[in-house]
Amino acid sequence: MATIKTVPTTASVDDHVAAIADAGQREDARALIDLMGRVTGQPAVMWGDAIVGFDAYHYRYDSGREGQMPRLSFSPRKGKTVVYLMGGAAAHAARLARLGKHSFKGVCLHIKRLGDLDLAVLEEILAATLEEMAVKYPKA
């Protein structure tokens, strides 16, 4: 079985954000850290080498594979930021229609700039995702 690479690390979130080449994307990352921290009540943690995550849940597939993942997370990528939303687009369709300029594939919300979005709607989406996660993966 392959080793899971997306695990919490002791790497510095601040150092990761400071290393983002694009100044606008750096500011967006800081804003997302504030927003996700406020929604979860948890600090930001690096997961692997590129994902900033908040809180965690334990999953176990029917195959027996299990692990941990963040309840809310994002990753600054080249030219865009990806926000991971469990449940996918269908779970958030009405809110996504009000969100602003974005694209969505699988569980990945792709955004160019936070300024293109209605941040109140993004906060609604993040809170709804957290509520869905609490039902599907209750805290022990």
Side-chain angles (χ1 to χ4, degrees), residues 5-9 11-13 15-17 20 25 29 33 45-53 70 73-78 80-84:
K5 296 178 184 175
T6 306
V7 296
T9 72
S12 167
V13 172
D15 289 349
H16 178 70
V17 171
I20 298 170
Q25 197 172 21
I33 288 168
V45 173
M46 288 303 302
W47 286 71
D49 60 2
I51 296 175
V52 179
S73 58
F74 73 94
S75 183
R77 305 289 177 162
K78 186 176 181 179
K80 67 181 175 233
T81 298
V82 177
V83 177
Y84 301 99

Side-chain angles (χ1 to χ4, degrees), residues 16-129:
H16 178 70
V17 171
I20 298 170
D22 181 274
Q25 197 172 21
R26 231 182 358 264
E27 289 306 310
D28 285 355
R30 288 184 182 116
L32 282 170
I33 288 168
D34 289 344
L35 178 59
M36 289 185 177
R38 187 171 64 249
V39 170
T40 64
Q42 299 292 319
V45 173
M46 288 303 302
W47 286 71
D49 60 2
I51 296 175
V52 179
F54 298 80
D55 208 351
Y57 68 96
H58 184 85
Y59 66 86
R60 183 186 325 256
Y61 296 136
D62 290 340
S63 67
R65 183 177 176 150
E66 61 184 308
Q68 252 190 309
M69 290 297 288
R71 289 185 183 266
L72 290 181
S73 58
F74 73 94
S75 183
R77 305 289 177 162
K78 186 176 181 179
K80 67 181 175 233
T81 298
V82 177
V83 177
Y84 301 99
L85 300 175
M86 305 327 277
H92 305 288
R95 290 182 187 97
L96 288 171
R98 299 183 294 124
L99 181 60
K101 187 177 178 182
H102 72 280
S103 62
F104 205 103
K105 183 173 182 180
V107 296
C108 301
L109 171 66
H110 298 268
I111 57 175
K112 179 84 173 155
R113 289 285 186 250
L114 282 183
D116 295 335
L117 305 180
D118 182 327
L119 294 183
V121 175
L122 179 59
E123 187 166 352
E124 287 176 24
I125 291 169
L126 295 173
T129 297

